[in-house]
Amino acid sequence: MILAAGQGTRVRPLTKDLPKPMVPILDKPVMEYLVERLAAHGVRQIMVNVAWNHHKIEQYFRDGRRWGVEIGYSYEGVYEHGDILPRPLGSAGGMKRIQDMSGFFDDTTIVLCGDALVDLDITAAVAEHRAKGALATVVTLPVPREQVANYGIVVADEDGRVRSFQEKPRPEEARSNLASTGIYIFEPQVLDLVPSGQVFDIGSQLFPLLVERGLPFYAQSRPFHWIDIGRVSDYWSVLQRVLSGEIADMRMPGTEVRPGVWVGLNTRLDFERVQITGPVYIGSSVRLEPGCSIVGPAWIGHGSHLSAGSRVERSILFEYTRIGAGMLFQDMIVSPSYCVDRYGRATYVGDDRCPLRWGDARA
């Protein structure tokens, strides 16, 4: 089960016209990495709950056959006053809707949030879940004590049995530093606790119910990469790490023409007239005018245009982005219509208060 019905308000404007699971990492939607990992661990059937901009997820992934899996979709919405409106049912409520309709969750089920990069050994996690006789498992990772206020914190005993939760506690109040990663393993009976036709959340409602009833509910803590894209600043940080090669099995596309410089098709680089310091990916049909420079980690999306004397440092340019002559863009995410700095502050094309000039390379 991939949870993909959220609106992604905390990563706007990236999700203004794009569902959060479709936000690109190395030119692939973040959800595609999850589908690939599930397929690599023998999962063959995947349900995805969708709502906001659902058609973009469905049109991209379709029935899943090119990943060797079968993908189904469960749309969550209502018909009001002649319009079909997204109306997510919550993480547990969405699963209950699927179960009521078809009984799909008739075996051990892995649940993943569709907006994070993970390299979890899913096979080992399921094996531990079954060995403990767990009804439910939450996969956790330790986080620095000063960062616990950003996460749901799991409190477990020495055997890993979950005893309580703290939602984003202050560091001095935290009784644990184990953060929920939004990765769960459920047996079918878990969904018997979820009411039908209601908004119901896994973390804030289902998990406390499991603890209250004393059911076999465990936390696992095993080493793996978990990169959550909760905010725009997280997205910038994720891409910096990926472009720097920190995350295994995430290879740069294109051809490496010089150490740390990858180039797509139909792009020519004249290293005597432009300056490039890797790691940098320059997509297909990119135009680089004389005197421009790129300092990595950086990603230049296909069809983009860097005007004479412009400079891009540690930034991500979405496809068809034009950077104005002499402009300096540092630590930014830039699209043809907006740019966002590493702290999540957004500026839109045409805002006279912004000294930067950029636009659509197709214009």
Side-chain angles (χ1 to χ4, degrees), residues 69-134:
V69 299
E70 183 180 2
I71 297 179
Y73 305 94
S74 176
Y75 177 75
E76 297 173 15
V78 295
Y79 184 76
E80 285 185 354
H81 308 297
D83 293 318
I84 299 172
L85 305 174
R87 193 70 57 81
L89 290 167
S91 48
M95 293 185 69
K96 181 67 171 183
R97 183 174 186 269
I98 294 168
Q99 188 72 341
D100 286 345
M101 185 166 184
S102 68
F104 176 77
F105 303 109
D106 59 356
D107 199 349
T108 305
T109 297
I110 303 142
V111 184
L112 301 168
C113 292
D115 57 2
L117 289 174
V118 300
D119 60 1
L120 175 70
D121 186 338
I122 292 172
T123 302
V126 171
E128 181 179 333
H129 166 86
R130 287 173 169 162
K132 288 184 173 179

Side-chain angles (χ1 to χ4, degrees), residues 42-81:
V43 175
R44 292 293 171 261
Q45 294 182 325
I46 301 171
M47 279 299 301
V48 184
N49 68 328
V50 294
W52 305 94
N53 285 311
H54 64 99
H55 58 281
K56 296 191 176 181
I57 295 175
E58 294 167 10
Q59 289 171 0
Y60 185 89
F61 289 96
R62 296 189 178 274
D63 62 3
R65 73 177 69 181
R66 64 186 166 120
W67 293 276
V69 299
E70 183 180 2
I71 297 179
Y73 305 94
S74 176
Y75 177 75
E76 297 173 15
V78 295
Y79 184 76
E80 285 185 354
H81 308 297

Side-chain angles (χ1 to χ4, degrees), residues 7 40 159 197 213 319:
Q7 194 170 0
D159 296 326
R213 299 198 178 184
E319 59 269 20

Side-chain angles (χ1 to χ4, degrees), residues 259-306:
V261 180
W262 289 263
V263 181
L265 302 176
N266 195 39
T267 292
R268 184 173 63 183
L269 299 184
D270 185 346
F271 285 99
E272 293 184 359
R273 306 179 74 186
V274 299
Q275 185 177 17
I276 302 174
T277 305
V280 169
Y281 171 74
I282 302 170
S284 66
S285 303
V286 169
R287 181 183 173 194
L288 302 178
E289 291 189 6
C292 71
S293 57
I294 306 169
V295 177
W299 175 279
I300 311 299
H302 67 260
S304 292
H305 175 191
L306 273 65

Side-chain angles (χ1 to χ4, degrees), residues 279-352:
V280 169
Y281 171 74
I282 302 170
S284 66
S285 303
V286 169
R287 181 183 173 194
L288 302 178
E289 291 189 6
C292 71
S293 57
I294 306 169
V295 177
W299 175 279
I300 311 299
H302 67 260
S304 292
H305 175 191
L306 273 65
S307 302
S310 62
R311 184 176 178 87
V312 173
E313 298 181 1
R314 299 176 303 278
S315 295
I316 298 95
L317 270 58
F318 286 176
E319 59 269 20
Y320 299 112
T321 299
R322 183 184 69 251
I323 300 299
M327 292 289 106
L328 170 61
F329 281 74
Q330 291 179 311
D331 302 334
M332 285 192 167
I333 302 160
V334 192
S335 86
S337 58
Y338 63 80
C339 69
V340 188
D341 68 19
R342 61 180 297 182
Y343 304 107
R345 294 185 292 253
T347 305
Y348 292 85
V349 165
D351 187 339
D352 293 336

